[in-house]
Amino acid sequence: MSKVDIAVLGYGTVGSGVVEVLNTNREKINRRAGKDIHVKYVLDLREFPGDPIQEKLVHDFDIIVNDPDVKVVVEVLGGVEPAYTFVKKALLAGKSVATSNKELVAKHGPELLKIAKEQKQNFFYEASVGGGIPIIRPMFSCLTAEDIDEVSGILNGTTNYILSKMTFERLDFDTVLKEAQEKGYAERNPEADVEGYDACRKIAILSSMVCEKQVEFESIYTEGITKITSEDILYAKKLNRAIKLLARSKMVNGVTYAMVAPFLVAEDHPLYSVNGVFNAIFVHGNMLGDAMFYGRGAGKLPTASAVVADVIDAVKHLGINIQIRWSGEKMEMGDINDSVCAFFVRIPTASLSKAEKVFGKIRTVDAGVKGEIGFVTEPVKESEFARLAAELPMIQRIRLN
Ligand code: HSE
């Protein structure tokens, strides 16, 4: 079996996972790739004394890009720079790239795919959304006969882990976040998780793949979970719903609306029972109907497994570009103020009659929280809800899916 050299950029959680997956499943991986995949270099600024990786360690990317034996570059540095510069140079040097980097893909996906095509190589990013869950390949391969009108998902493992622990173990936010960090789920800066920025990039990627144009992540309305409290969890239980950070891209009357926000998910929805670090992506197509992709959305080995699968595909297709349609043309998205949903609202009990006057038909919910009451509105436009809610001393509001 002939050998093929690869390089891994970044020896953090995912990078070390890539090396581990390659070592653990070496025989099967090589058989499936048809080549002996050999890690020639690992790029990292740090030293790893005592780790066998030390002998492959380089600190200068030029060594990798100038080595013609390196056919595939794995980019698992995270962040836009220097990842973008390195990936672009690698592709221009005729190498294929596999990445788990959602910031990079969300921002520069179309350009990098174009270069890969021109170079007759590949730019693969299966692990950038949903960690170890196959979702990118289904989008550009298995579901290409579909007209997809909705992609909704739990796309961030850290926040789902936090919300699940808050729900089932009544733990506080900070304790659970620390656990998620220790398990290697969280971003270097966990603000990206808890404020929804990570899920925002991921839904921008999925949404772009659906419309084959560039959905700019900056244009996606994004709320995180930092304002969710233990009282909200009590109300959710009372409503037989679960609070989930949903990333959603949905076409309504020909207009696509995308948003990331906590939602009260109904018990009979498939996303209701997705707990812990698990992610799930719900897709609706006009021929397929509903489909859901479920699995570990974060963590060292699940994410690394998806990266290595990309490496295998890249090795099998050296010199052959696999087309992924995603142009740089900007996708015009619907104004989120025009989207419609029902809202759950918490107010002081004394304001209930005012709420009934302002909102008309509402359904009240009492979770036994002293001095306050909750209610659920009828479906209403976001802009209209904001106008009506401004008349009340609102304690909290959460959308219903
Ligand atoms: N921080 C991310 C998460 C890692 O929690 O889902 C995977 O992208």
Side-chain angles (χ1 to χ4, degrees):
M1 196 183 278
S2 61
K3 186 179 78 142
V4 63
D5 286 333
I6 71 166
V8 179
L9 313 184
Y11 196 61
T13 305
V14 183
S16 57
V18 166
V19 173
E20 189 175 331
V21 170
L22 285 166
N23 287 336
T24 307
N25 291 344
R26 173 177 310 284
E27 200 200 314
K28 282 196 170 68
I29 287 170
N30 288 345
R31 194 171 65 237
R32 288 166 188 161
K35 286 204 166 55
D36 179 7
I37 298 176
H38 170 247
V39 178
K40 186 166 182 182
Y41 305 110
V42 171
L43 179 86
D44 204 292
L45 292 175
R46 299 164 293 180
E47 301 291 335
F48 298 93
D51 186 320
I53 212 68
Q54 183 69 29
E55 65 190 47
K56 299 172 188 248
L57 202 67
V58 292
H59 302 302
D60 179 2
F61 176 69
D62 285 348
I63 296 172
I64 294 169
V65 81
N66 293 326
D67 185 337
D69 290 341
V70 173
K71 303 294 185 206
V72 182
V73 170
V74 169
E75 186 281 303
V76 284
L77 294 160
V80 175
E81 282 296 353
Y84 170 63
T85 304
F86 290 169
V87 167
K88 194 168 170 177
K89 280 189 182 173
L91 290 169
L92 287 169
K95 303 176 195 306
S96 281
V97 172
T99 182
S100 61
N101 187 336
K102 54 258 160 170
E103 289 113 315
L104 173 72
V105 178
K107 195 159 179 60
H108 296 292
E111 183 196 359
L112 297 171
L113 283 168
K114 187 165 172 270
I115 300 173
K117 190 175 176 192
E118 285 160 5
Q119 295 291 329
K120 298 193 172 59
Q121 297 302 339
N122 288 291
F123 176 62
F124 289 142
Y125 46 93
E126 182 61 64
S128 66
V129 181
I133 309 172
I135 183 63
I136 299 295
R137 227 167 235 86
M139 296 301 276
F140 74 75
S141 180
C142 321
L143 298 175
T144 43
E146 285 298 317
D147 186 359
I148 295 172
D149 58 20
E150 180 178 353
V151 183
S152 292
I154 294 173
L155 296 181
N156 182 268
T158 301
T159 45
N160 205 44
Y161 184 81
I162 293 173
L163 291 170
S164 300
K165 289 259 179 180
M166 284 173 78
T167 301
F168 299 117
E169 296 176 30
R170 296 179 172 210
L171 291 173
D172 69 85
F173 187 91
D174 293 329
T175 312
V176 193
L177 174 59
K178 202 160 157 277
E179 271 180 38
Q181 285 172 305
E182 279 160 12
K183 287 179 188 277
Y185 303 154
E187 296 300 300
R188 236 173 305 170
N189 176 5
E191 200 191 358
D193 296 298
V194 297
E195 296 295 355
Y197 309 147
D198 176 76
C200 169
R201 267 110 187 127
K202 291 168 176 169
I203 196 65
I205 295 170
L206 293 180
S207 195
S208 297
M209 295 195 71
V210 170
C211 63
E212 302 177 359
K213 293 182 186 166
Q214 177 68 341
V215 174
E216 293 176 333
F217 65 83
E218 297 92 336
S219 70
I220 297 177
Y221 176 80
T222 300
E223 264 179 43
I225 63 160
T226 48
K227 294 196 180 99
I228 300 296
T229 65
S230 49
E231 286 80 15
D232 297 327
I233 306 272
L234 290 178
Y235 281 101
K237 286 182 179 167
K238 224 37 202 183
L239 286 162
N240 291 326
R241 287 176 177 259
I243 302 178
K244 301 285 178 197
L245 183 70
L246 294 191
R248 194 161 80 166
S249 174
K250 197 169 176 177
M251 193 189 272
V252 183
N253 300 327
V255 181
T256 303
Y257 300 92
M259 76 157 34
V260 176
F263 277 79
L264 280 155
V265 177
E267 203 176 14
D268 59 357
H269 193 283
L271 292 171
Y272 172 88
S273 350
V274 176
N275 290 311
V277 71
F278 284 88
N279 280 192
I281 301 109
F282 172 87
V283 178
H284 183 267
N286 64 340
M287 299 292 121
L288 170 74
D290 294 345
M292 195 158 95
F293 300 80
Y294 171 85
R296 286 187 183 271
K300 176 173 165 168
L301 295 176
T303 309
S305 170
V307 175
V308 173
D310 276 351
V311 171
I312 295 171
D313 215 10
V315 166
K316 281 162 67 182
H317 295 95
L318 293 175
I320 304 165
N321 176 255
I322 295 175
Q323 194 185 26
I324 303 177
R325 295 175 57 84
W326 176 0
S327 86
E329 186 189 335
K330 185 178 160 192
M331 173 72 184
E332 289 306 328
M333 304 294 283
D335 181 346
I336 211 66
N337 287 313
D338 295 335
S339 73
V340 173
C341 74
F343 283 81
F344 161 72
V345 183
R346 286 168 53 201
I347 51 166
T349 314
S351 303
L352 182 57
S353 54
K354 175 104 191 269
E356 282 163 337
K357 231 181 359 227
V358 170
F359 278 97
K361 196 172 164 210
I362 56 172
R363 177 163 58 99
T364 56
V365 44
D366 187 351
V369 183
K370 202 164 166 250
E372 62 169 77
I373 189 88
F375 67 89
V376 175
T377 70
E378 291 288 290
V380 55
K381 251 192 194 184
E382 287 270 342
S383 54
E384 180 65 356
F385 174 80
R387 190 181 69 76
L388 299 173
E391 295 187 37
L392 295 170
M394 193 168 61
I395 300 167
Q396 174 66 295
R397 59 105 179 85
I398 305 174
R399 294 170 182 84
L400 270 68
N401 74 319

